[in-house]
Amino acid sequence: PALSKVATKRMVHANHKRGLNFKRLLHRTTTHRRIRSAVCHAFSTESPFWEEMWAAGLQPGDKFDANGPEPILMQFLDEGAFPPGRTLVPGCGRGYAVSAIAGGGRDVVGLELSQTGCKAARDYLESQASKLPENGSAAVLNANFFEYADDPENFESFHNLYDCTFFCAIDPSFRPLWASSVRKLIKPGGTLVSDLFPVRPWEGEEGAEHPKEGPPYTVSFSVMDKLLKAEGFENEIFRQVPSSMRARVRGDTEEYLCVW
């Protein structure tokens, strides 16, 4: 039977509404893809910033290099508090944390953007290979974290992710994308461990501006926690690192061990 005028009008209105919703979704999706594309380009393996720093002859203990794994990470490992399972370390630098975490009997993958940095990390891991237990492994890939997180083969492929000097190395405008990438890579029920640095407690609060100088860009627990809560993470540990255990010092900033 023919539709009434009222029913026809309702159908036209519903289709129009669906069309508008589709256009809005398409716009959001297109915008998200453009942002992700810009981020991947900024942190591509061809990006010169980090490669130039490493190629200039970055030595252990220079700039961000702590000349060893972070003391608070080692304490966390010694306490048996670092969860078991396959672990990802983005922005792993010379690979100190990759080796330390693998030493507890975990399979660990580090990502390093710079080709020269990646070679330095592999050389370091080779020098530490004899210390690894039979049930542990350590590897470093010359890879872009955001591109790596975009590959479906890597979705939910890690039980844990350790972030130290990576969150603070990216431009603050990319932080929401960092959080969604972390969520894609970690298995449900998995863990993010972060040695959060350089922390200014007031940065990121309402009315405060994003840090303009970096990397490293100053960070705050509240900013990171808000981003991760939006992705379904809940904070479990928030521990200030004593000055005697700090791996790096930058002005009046602080360092915290955080677990989600």
Side-chain angles (χ1 to χ4, degrees), residues 12-73:
V12 170
H13 175 72
N15 287 334
H16 176 67
K17 187 175 181 180
R18 278 196 293 269
L20 289 177
N21 288 339
F22 176 74
K23 287 180 179 179
R24 291 191 189 103
L25 177 61
L26 181 63
H27 174 72
R28 287 198 299 269
T29 303
T30 303
T31 301
H32 179 75
R33 285 174 177 168
R34 286 173 179 168
I35 293 172
R36 183 174 287 277
S37 176
V39 173
C40 288
H41 175 72
F43 288 90
S44 72
T45 51
E46 298 175 356
S47 180
F49 179 81
W50 298 106
E51 176 57 29
E52 288 175 359
M53 185 182 296
W54 277 99
L58 184 73
Q59 297 298 310
D62 286 352
K63 300 183 184 297
F64 57 84
D65 189 302
N67 200 23
E70 292 76 25
I72 192 64
L73 170 63

Side-chain angles (χ1 to χ4, degrees), residues 140-219:
V140 174
L141 306 178
N142 180 207
N144 175 330
F145 170 74
F146 297 102
E147 291 178 349
Y148 189 84
D150 252 356
D151 186 341
E153 289 188 5
N154 299 322
F155 290 176
E156 297 183 359
S157 58
F158 294 93
H159 299 90
N160 314 301
L161 187 147
Y162 177 65
D163 186 301
C164 180
T165 69
F166 183 72
F167 183 74
C168 69
I170 61 176
D171 186 282
S173 62
F174 298 155
R175 288 174 177 176
L177 187 55
W178 166 88
S180 63
S181 298
V182 168
R183 186 255 309 155
K184 287 198 299 184
L185 291 167
I186 296 180
K187 295 177 182 290
T191 303
L192 168 67
V193 180
S194 175
D195 184 2
L196 193 59
F197 164 87
V199 176
R200 279 202 176 101
W202 59 86
E203 184 273 307
E205 303 294 341
E206 187 173 352
E209 297 181 354
H210 276 308
K212 295 181 175 63
E213 296 182 0
Y217 297 94
T218 54
V219 301

